PDB file of all heavy atoms in Angstrom:
ATOM      1  N   ALA A  30     -12.385  -2.937 -38.162  1.00  0.00           N
ATOM      2  CA  ALA A  30     -13.797  -2.867 -37.730  1.00  0.00           C
ATOM      3  C   ALA A  30     -14.464  -4.204 -37.670  1.00  0.00           C
ATOM      4  O   ALA A  30     -15.187  -4.563 -36.754  1.00  0.00           O
ATOM      5  CB  ALA A  30     -14.584  -1.874 -38.641  1.00  0.00           C
ATOM      6  N   ALA A  31     -14.193  -5.025 -38.668  1.00  0.00           N
ATOM      7  CA  ALA A  31     -14.844  -6.413 -38.699  1.00  0.00           C
ATOM      8  C   ALA A  31     -14.348  -7.249 -37.547  1.00  0.00           C
ATOM      9  O   ALA A  31     -15.109  -8.073 -36.946  1.00  0.00           O
ATOM     10  CB  ALA A  31     -14.579  -7.106 -40.006  1.00  0.00           C
ATOM     11  N   THR A  32     -13.085  -7.108 -37.187  1.00  0.00           N
ATOM     12  CA  THR A  32     -12.502  -7.888 -36.043  1.00  0.00           C
ATOM     13  C   THR A  32     -13.086  -7.461 -34.760  1.00  0.00           C
ATOM     14  O   THR A  32     -13.354  -8.299 -33.894  1.00  0.00           O
ATOM     15  CB  THR A  32     -10.962  -7.682 -36.035  1.00  0.00           C
ATOM     16  OG1 THR A  32     -10.402  -8.089 -37.231  1.00  0.00           O
ATOM     17  CG2 THR A  32     -10.331  -8.449 -34.944  1.00  0.00           C
ATOM     18  N   ILE A  33     -13.327  -6.178 -34.577  1.00  0.00           N
ATOM     19  CA  ILE A  33     -13.857  -5.626 -33.361  1.00  0.00           C
ATOM     20  C   ILE A  33     -15.299  -5.934 -33.273  1.00  0.00           C
ATOM     21  O   ILE A  33     -15.819  -6.320 -32.216  1.00  0.00           O
ATOM     22  CB  ILE A  33     -13.658  -4.111 -33.284  1.00  0.00           C
ATOM     23  CG1 ILE A  33     -12.135  -3.837 -33.209  1.00  0.00           C
ATOM     24  CG2 ILE A  33     -14.358  -3.497 -32.044  1.00  0.00           C
ATOM     25  CD1 ILE A  33     -11.735  -2.373 -33.447  1.00  0.00           C
ATOM     26  N   GLY A  34     -16.003  -5.868 -34.385  1.00  0.00           N
ATOM     27  CA  GLY A  34     -17.431  -6.211 -34.417  1.00  0.00           C
ATOM     28  C   GLY A  34     -18.335  -5.021 -34.223  1.00  0.00           C
ATOM     29  O   GLY A  34     -17.862  -3.891 -33.827  1.00  0.00           O
ATOM     30  N   PRO A  35     -19.647  -5.139 -34.402  1.00  0.00           N
ATOM     31  CA  PRO A  35     -20.542  -4.007 -34.317  1.00  0.00           C
ATOM     32  C   PRO A  35     -20.729  -3.653 -32.815  1.00  0.00           C
ATOM     33  O   PRO A  35     -20.343  -4.438 -31.947  1.00  0.00           O
ATOM     34  CB  PRO A  35     -21.885  -4.569 -34.836  1.00  0.00           C
ATOM     35  CG  PRO A  35     -21.768  -6.030 -34.914  1.00  0.00           C
ATOM     36  CD  PRO A  35     -20.261  -6.382 -34.846  1.00  0.00           C
ATOM     37  N   PRO A  36     -21.171  -2.455 -32.478  1.00  0.00           N
ATOM     38  CA  PRO A  36     -21.527  -1.410 -33.378  1.00  0.00           C
ATOM     39  C   PRO A  36     -20.325  -0.726 -33.950  1.00  0.00           C
ATOM     40  O   PRO A  36     -19.203  -1.042 -33.586  1.00  0.00           O
ATOM     41  CB  PRO A  36     -22.337  -0.454 -32.479  1.00  0.00           C
ATOM     42  CG  PRO A  36     -21.745  -0.650 -31.110  1.00  0.00           C
ATOM     43  CD  PRO A  36     -21.388  -2.133 -31.088  1.00  0.00           C
ATOM     44  N   HIS A  37     -20.576   0.316 -34.796  1.00  0.00           N
ATOM     45  CA  HIS A  37     -19.535   1.094 -35.433  1.00  0.00           C
ATOM     46  C   HIS A  37     -18.430   1.534 -34.439  1.00  0.00           C
ATOM     47  O   HIS A  37     -18.736   2.016 -33.347  1.00  0.00           O
ATOM     48  CB  HIS A  37     -20.139   2.297 -36.122  1.00  0.00           C
ATOM     49  CG  HIS A  37     -19.092   3.166 -36.810  1.00  0.00           C
ATOM     50  ND1 HIS A  37     -18.421   2.809 -37.944  1.00  0.00           N
ATOM     51  CD2 HIS A  37     -18.633   4.372 -36.467  1.00  0.00           C
ATOM     52  CE1 HIS A  37     -17.594   3.750 -38.240  1.00  0.00           C
ATOM     53  NE2 HIS A  37     -17.707   4.738 -37.388  1.00  0.00           N
ATOM     54  N   VAL A  38     -17.188   1.339 -34.792  1.00  0.00           N
ATOM     55  CA  VAL A  38     -16.031   1.744 -33.954  1.00  0.00           C
ATOM     56  C   VAL A  38     -15.890   3.263 -34.000  1.00  0.00           C
ATOM     57  O   VAL A  38     -15.866   3.858 -35.043  1.00  0.00           O
ATOM     58  CB  VAL A  38     -14.771   1.076 -34.399  1.00  0.00           C
ATOM     59  CG1 VAL A  38     -13.620   1.447 -33.473  1.00  0.00           C
ATOM     60  CG2 VAL A  38     -14.896  -0.414 -34.467  1.00  0.00           C
ATOM     61  N   LYS A  39     -15.797   3.904 -32.866  1.00  0.00           N
ATOM     62  CA  LYS A  39     -15.685   5.366 -32.785  1.00  0.00           C
ATOM     63  C   LYS A  39     -14.231   5.752 -32.513  1.00  0.00           C
ATOM     64  O   LYS A  39     -13.510   5.044 -31.729  1.00  0.00           O
ATOM     65  CB  LYS A  39     -16.596   5.928 -31.707  1.00  0.00           C
ATOM     66  CG  LYS A  39     -18.043   5.727 -32.090  1.00  0.00           C
ATOM     67  CD  LYS A  39     -18.957   6.233 -31.054  1.00  0.00           C
ATOM     68  CE  LYS A  39     -20.419   5.969 -31.480  1.00  0.00           C
ATOM     69  NZ  LYS A  39     -21.361   6.217 -30.451  1.00  0.00           N
ATOM     70  N   LEU A  40     -13.770   6.847 -33.031  1.00  0.00           N
ATOM     71  CA  LEU A  40     -12.387   7.342 -32.888  1.00  0.00           C
ATOM     72  C   LEU A  40     -11.981   7.473 -31.423  1.00  0.00           C
ATOM     73  O   LEU A  40     -10.906   6.979 -31.066  1.00  0.00           O
ATOM     74  CB  LEU A  40     -12.300   8.658 -33.643  1.00  0.00           C
ATOM     75  CG  LEU A  40     -10.890   9.199 -33.848  1.00  0.00           C
ATOM     76  CD1 LEU A  40     -10.003   8.266 -34.664  1.00  0.00           C
ATOM     77  CD2 LEU A  40     -10.962  10.537 -34.559  1.00  0.00           C
ATOM     78  N   PRO A  41     -12.821   8.081 -30.509  1.00  0.00           N
ATOM     79  CA  PRO A  41     -12.388   8.175 -29.105  1.00  0.00           C
ATOM     80  C   PRO A  41     -12.167   6.806 -28.470  1.00  0.00           C
ATOM     81  O   PRO A  41     -11.236   6.620 -27.678  1.00  0.00           O
ATOM     82  CB  PRO A  41     -13.553   8.888 -28.450  1.00  0.00           C
ATOM     83  CG  PRO A  41     -14.175   9.685 -29.513  1.00  0.00           C
ATOM     84  CD  PRO A  41     -14.063   8.807 -30.747  1.00  0.00           C
ATOM     85  N   GLU A  42     -12.964   5.835 -28.868  1.00  0.00           N
ATOM     86  CA  GLU A  42     -12.825   4.461 -28.300  1.00  0.00           C
ATOM     87  C   GLU A  42     -11.470   3.887 -28.752  1.00  0.00           C
ATOM     88  O   GLU A  42     -10.799   3.260 -27.922  1.00  0.00           O
ATOM     89  CB  GLU A  42     -13.971   3.660 -28.883  1.00  0.00           C
ATOM     90  CG  GLU A  42     -14.106   2.271 -28.367  1.00  0.00           C
ATOM     91  CD  GLU A  42     -15.321   1.573 -28.986  1.00  0.00           C
ATOM     92  OE1 GLU A  42     -15.840   1.964 -30.090  1.00  0.00           O
ATOM     93  OE2 GLU A  42     -15.736   0.601 -28.372  1.00  0.00           O
ATOM     94  N   VAL A  43     -11.100   4.099 -29.983  1.00  0.00           N
ATOM     95  CA  VAL A  43      -9.844   3.562 -30.519  1.00  0.00           C
ATOM     96  C   VAL A  43      -8.657   4.253 -29.819  1.00  0.00           C
ATOM     97  O   VAL A  43      -7.689   3.628 -29.402  1.00  0.00           O
ATOM     98  CB  VAL A  43      -9.761   3.742 -32.057  1.00  0.00           C
ATOM     99  CG1 VAL A  43      -8.356   3.418 -32.572  1.00  0.00           C
ATOM    100  CG2 VAL A  43     -10.796   2.908 -32.729  1.00  0.00           C
ATOM    101  N   ILE A  44      -8.706   5.571 -29.723  1.00  0.00           N
ATOM    102  CA  ILE A  44      -7.576   6.353 -29.111  1.00  0.00           C
ATOM    103  C   ILE A  44      -7.427   5.909 -27.653  1.00  0.00           C
ATOM    104  O   ILE A  44      -6.312   5.696 -27.216  1.00  0.00           O
ATOM    105  CB  ILE A  44      -7.826   7.869 -29.260  1.00  0.00           C
ATOM    106  CG1 ILE A  44      -7.682   8.277 -30.707  1.00  0.00           C
ATOM    107  CG2 ILE A  44      -6.856   8.643 -28.367  1.00  0.00           C
ATOM    108  CD1 ILE A  44      -8.097   9.701 -30.999  1.00  0.00           C
ATOM    109  N   ALA A  45      -8.536   5.734 -26.907  1.00  0.00           N
ATOM    110  CA  ALA A  45      -8.441   5.331 -25.514  1.00  0.00           C
ATOM    111  C   ALA A  45      -7.805   3.941 -25.443  1.00  0.00           C
ATOM    112  O   ALA A  45      -6.924   3.715 -24.553  1.00  0.00           O
ATOM    113  CB  ALA A  45      -9.808   5.286 -24.903  1.00  0.00           C
ATOM    114  N   ALA A  46      -8.181   3.003 -26.297  1.00  0.00           N
ATOM    115  CA  ALA A  46      -7.576   1.677 -26.257  1.00  0.00           C
ATOM    116  C   ALA A  46      -6.083   1.715 -26.616  1.00  0.00           C
ATOM    117  O   ALA A  46      -5.299   1.000 -25.975  1.00  0.00           O
ATOM    118  CB  ALA A  46      -8.299   0.755 -27.284  1.00  0.00           C
ATOM    119  N   MET A  47      -5.702   2.617 -27.527  1.00  0.00           N
ATOM    120  CA  MET A  47      -4.292   2.741 -27.874  1.00  0.00           C
ATOM    121  C   MET A  47      -3.470   3.322 -26.709  1.00  0.00           C
ATOM    122  O   MET A  47      -2.352   2.957 -26.497  1.00  0.00           O
ATOM    123  CB  MET A  47      -4.125   3.572 -29.163  1.00  0.00           C
ATOM    124  CG  MET A  47      -4.592   2.870 -30.388  1.00  0.00           C
ATOM    125  SD  MET A  47      -4.444   3.894 -31.863  1.00  0.00           S
ATOM    126  CE  MET A  47      -4.863   2.694 -33.134  1.00  0.00           C
ATOM    127  N   VAL A  48      -4.049   4.254 -25.998  1.00  0.00           N
ATOM    128  CA  VAL A  48      -3.400   4.868 -24.836  1.00  0.00           C
ATOM    129  C   VAL A  48      -3.180   3.812 -23.747  1.00  0.00           C
ATOM    130  O   VAL A  48      -2.056   3.666 -23.205  1.00  0.00           O
ATOM    131  CB  VAL A  48      -4.193   6.065 -24.254  1.00  0.00           C
ATOM    132  CG1 VAL A  48      -3.699   6.473 -22.906  1.00  0.00           C
ATOM    133  CG2 VAL A  48      -4.189   7.194 -25.261  1.00  0.00           C
ATOM    134  N   VAL A  49      -4.216   3.021 -23.465  1.00  0.00           N
ATOM    135  CA  VAL A  49      -4.079   1.998 -22.454  1.00  0.00           C
ATOM    136  C   VAL A  49      -3.007   0.958 -22.846  1.00  0.00           C
ATOM    137  O   VAL A  49      -2.158   0.590 -22.036  1.00  0.00           O
ATOM    138  CB  VAL A  49      -5.401   1.288 -22.257  1.00  0.00           C
ATOM    139  CG1 VAL A  49      -5.287   0.022 -21.391  1.00  0.00           C
ATOM    140  CG2 VAL A  49      -6.417   2.226 -21.571  1.00  0.00           C
ATOM    141  N   THR A  50      -3.009   0.550 -24.084  1.00  0.00           N
ATOM    142  CA  THR A  50      -1.990  -0.435 -24.571  1.00  0.00           C
ATOM    143  C   THR A  50      -0.604   0.168 -24.502  1.00  0.00           C
ATOM    144  O   THR A  50       0.322  -0.521 -24.108  1.00  0.00           O
ATOM    145  CB  THR A  50      -2.337  -0.899 -26.015  1.00  0.00           C
ATOM    146  OG1 THR A  50      -3.670  -1.443 -25.981  1.00  0.00           O
ATOM    147  CG2 THR A  50      -1.373  -1.898 -26.525  1.00  0.00           C
ATOM    148  N   THR A  51      -0.480   1.393 -24.923  1.00  0.00           N
ATOM    149  CA  THR A  51       0.850   2.042 -24.883  1.00  0.00           C
ATOM    150  C   THR A  51       1.379   2.123 -23.466  1.00  0.00           C
ATOM    151  O   THR A  51       2.554   1.827 -23.219  1.00  0.00           O
ATOM    152  CB  THR A  51       0.779   3.471 -25.499  1.00  0.00           C
ATOM    153  OG1 THR A  51       0.314   3.321 -26.811  1.00  0.00           O
ATOM    154  CG2 THR A  51       2.072   4.155 -25.458  1.00  0.00           C
ATOM    155  N   ALA A  52       0.509   2.413 -22.542  1.00  0.00           N
ATOM    156  CA  ALA A  52       0.928   2.538 -21.145  1.00  0.00           C
ATOM    157  C   ALA A  52       1.226   1.197 -20.512  1.00  0.00           C
ATOM    158  O   ALA A  52       2.117   1.067 -19.620  1.00  0.00           O
ATOM    159  CB  ALA A  52      -0.105   3.280 -20.368  1.00  0.00           C
TER     160      ALA A  52
END
Side-chain angles (χ1 to χ4, degrees):
T32 301
I33 297 166
H37 177 71
V38 183
K39 295 180 180 170
L40 192 59
E42 186 179 21
V43 172
I44 292 172
M47 289 179 172
V48 167
V49 169
T50 302
T51 301

